Amino acid sequence: MSIRALFTVIFAVVAYSQAAFAVVYPLPAKNSRLVGENIVIDVPNDSTQPLEHFAAQFQMGLSNMMEANPGVDPLLPKAGSQLVIPQQLILPDTPREGIIINSAEMRLYYYPKGTNTVVVLPIGIGELGKDTPVDWVTSVQRKKDGPTWTPTKAMHAEYAARGETLPEVFPAGPDNPMGLYALYVGRLYAIHGTNANFGIGLRVSHGCVRLRDNDIKWLFENVPVGTRVQFINEPVKATVEPDGSRYVEVHNPLSENEEQWKSKDPVPVSLTPVVSKVISDASVNTSDVDQAIETRSGMPVKVNGLHDAQPAQPEQPEAQPEAVPQPPVIQPVTTEPTAPAETQPAVTEPSAG
């Protein structure tokens, strides 16, 4: 068995057994960006769990699971049916350093120094009009165990208009919409936890980045202050692999205005010059590209030649998973009641939405 195949087996077995390595990928060679393998699971015949339950088991957001499984009922996937777990992905075309947040695919990438690995975690992002930043490079400026949240006057007015009230301050603890840990980036934003796990993979915040409890706890314990943080918004990624295989990965673009948000039509896909260059090669099957853009599965699709090419081997195949930092232990998650979204707190804390 090849090292790459061995890693794939480890990822699948560990993910299903809810152990430690489901979101750690060995980095491929520098001229490769394709990692991981998709897996398929059976929904138990007696299952009454929502899609969030399965998303949390395999470190996915709701958007990832819904893209990979079109037509699935997010409240109750059909018992006995199959679900695709989209664990194969194309790394963002960015430096392999620090934290990369891609809003369009609702994933956070963290490259721990000296490990030749990447940790990939699902996130919730900002609502329309209260968007998570894009095209921004900053850093982790400080960390907080037990953050508090102080709603602004505008937030109080917003909730009052709906007949709801907010406390003046949400104290630290499990009922705080910011969760139990926060990494503050820039002056106005934070990467933090949540008390509503169903929002992972959705646009639910006032601009900040949300993670499940175990995920933010792991980041809090392992990401140093000063770590580089880059925000991007790339719904389409593409790569040319060392063997000449060309892949595209298409996610649903984020709505940019109310008209797009309310429309039943899909948001148009725009291709960047980098992606256009990858798919302009004479070997590319344009019908495969068109199909990938139409289906928007959020999974890499090979668009040239035969469809059985394999990704490159890891850059350091001798590195074993045990040598890398432990990602969060994956726990079954139940859907929690809706909690008010958070926004910029008072001057005592940077904005955390």
Side-chain angles (χ1 to χ4, degrees), residues 238 240 246 271-282 284:
V240 181
R246 293 169 185 258
L271 302 181
T272 66
V274 172
V275 172
S276 296
K277 183 177 180 180
V278 171
I279 64 176
S280 65
D281 188 80
V284 169

Side-chain angles (χ1 to χ4, degrees), residues 40-118:
V40 177
I41 65 165
D42 293 320
V43 177
N45 289 326
D46 59 351
S47 175
T48 58
Q49 298 288 352
L51 188 61
E52 162 61 26
H53 170 81
F54 300 98
Q57 277 188 324
F58 293 91
Q59 292 297 74
M60 297 288 154
L62 277 176
S63 62
N64 305 136
M65 293 293 287
M66 294 179 71
E67 286 178 336
N69 299 276
V72 67
D73 184 348
L75 297 180
L76 185 62
K78 184 178 179 180
S81 65
Q82 292 188 321
L83 292 175
V84 177
I85 310 299
Q87 289 189 337
Q88 186 179 57
L89 50 86
I90 297 173
L91 297 177
D93 189 15
T94 61
R96 297 179 181 181
E97 176 186 356
I99 290 174
I100 309 296
I101 293 166
N102 188 358
S103 292
E105 63 174 317
M106 300 198 194
R107 284 184 176 130
L108 179 152
Y109 296 80
Y110 174 52
Y111 297 88
K113 283 187 177 180
T115 67
N116 204 49
T117 63
V118 59

Side-chain angles (χ1 to χ4, degrees), residues 21-327:
F21 304 108
V23 296
V24 176
Y25 297 84
L27 289 179
K30 292 181 180 179
N31 61 344
S32 169
R33 290 168 47 217
L34 189 67
V35 299
E37 292 286 351
N38 300 322
I39 61 174
V40 177
I41 65 165
D42 293 320
V43 177
N45 289 326
D46 59 351
S47 175
T48 58
Q49 298 288 352
L51 188 61
E52 162 61 26
H53 170 81
F54 300 98
Q57 277 188 324
F58 293 91
Q59 292 297 74
M60 297 288 154
L62 277 176
S63 62
N64 305 136
M65 293 293 287
M66 294 179 71
E67 286 178 336
N69 299 276
V72 67
D73 184 348
L75 297 180
L76 185 62
K78 184 178 179 180
S81 65
Q82 292 188 321
L83 292 175
V84 177
I85 310 299
Q87 289 189 337
Q88 186 179 57
L89 50 86
I90 297 173
L91 297 177
D93 189 15
T94 61
R96 297 179 181 181
E97 176 186 356
I99 290 174
I100 309 296
I101 293 166
N102 188 358
S103 292
E105 63 174 317
M106 300 198 194
R107 284 184 176 130
L108 179 152
Y109 296 80
Y110 174 52
Y111 297 88
K113 283 187 177 180
T115 67
N116 204 49
T117 63
V118 59
V119 179
V120 183
L121 300 172
I123 59 174
I125 62 169
E127 301 174 32
L128 177 66
K130 301 167 185 176
D131 303 279
T132 298
V134 296
D135 300 325
W136 183 39
V137 177
T138 181
S139 65
V140 176
Q141 300 194 353
R142 65 188 181 93
K143 303 192 292 186
K144 177 70 173 176
D145 180 351
T148 59
W149 175 51
T150 305
T152 63
K153 290 182 179 180
M155 280 298 298
H156 283 288
E158 178 183 336
Y159 276 78
R162 300 202 299 256
E164 303 174 31
T165 59
L166 287 174
E168 290 300 317
V169 178
F170 280 83
D175 295 328
N176 190 317
M178 289 188 66
L180 300 177
Y181 303 92
L183 281 65
Y184 292 95
V185 295
R187 188 178 67 86
L188 299 176
Y189 296 94
I191 300 168
H192 61 76
T194 180
N195 65 342
N197 281 321
F198 67 86
I200 304 304
L202 299 175
R203 300 180 74 173
V204 291
S205 79
H206 274 64
C208 291
V209 175
R210 293 182 177 181
L211 294 98
R212 295 188 181 102
D213 289 344
N214 287 338
D215 297 350
I216 187 61
K217 182 176 187 293
W218 187 86
L219 286 180
F220 179 85
E221 293 173 347
N222 289 276
V223 175
V225 171
T227 295
R228 180 183 188 272
V229 180
Q230 181 175 358
F231 290 82
I232 62 175
N233 178 26
E234 296 182 0
V236 184
K237 299 180 289 183
T239 180
V240 181
E241 293 300 289
D243 66 356
S245 299
R246 293 169 185 258
Y247 290 82
V248 295
E249 176 184 325
V250 185
H251 298 265
N252 283 303
L254 301 177
S255 300
E256 297 180 357
N257 50 56
E258 285 288 340
E259 182 180 358
Q260 288 183 345
W261 178 259
K262 295 178 180 178
S263 175
K264 295 182 179 180
D265 296 327
V267 177
V269 170
S270 299
L271 302 181
T272 66
V274 172
V275 172
S276 296
K277 183 177 180 180
V278 171
I279 64 176
S280 65
D281 188 80
S283 68
V284 169
N285 302 312
T286 56
S287 59
D288 291 341
V289 175
D290 294 341
Q291 184 65 28
I293 292 174
E294 180 179 351
T295 57
R296 306 177 185 198
S297 69
M299 297 180 288
V301 176
K302 189 169 183 288
V303 294
N304 70 326
L306 298 176
H307 289 222
D308 58 358
Q310 298 297 317
Q313 298 290 332
E315 189 172 336
Q316 293 182 355
E318 69 277 6
Q320 296 300 310
E322 289 80 358
V324 304
Q326 297 276 345

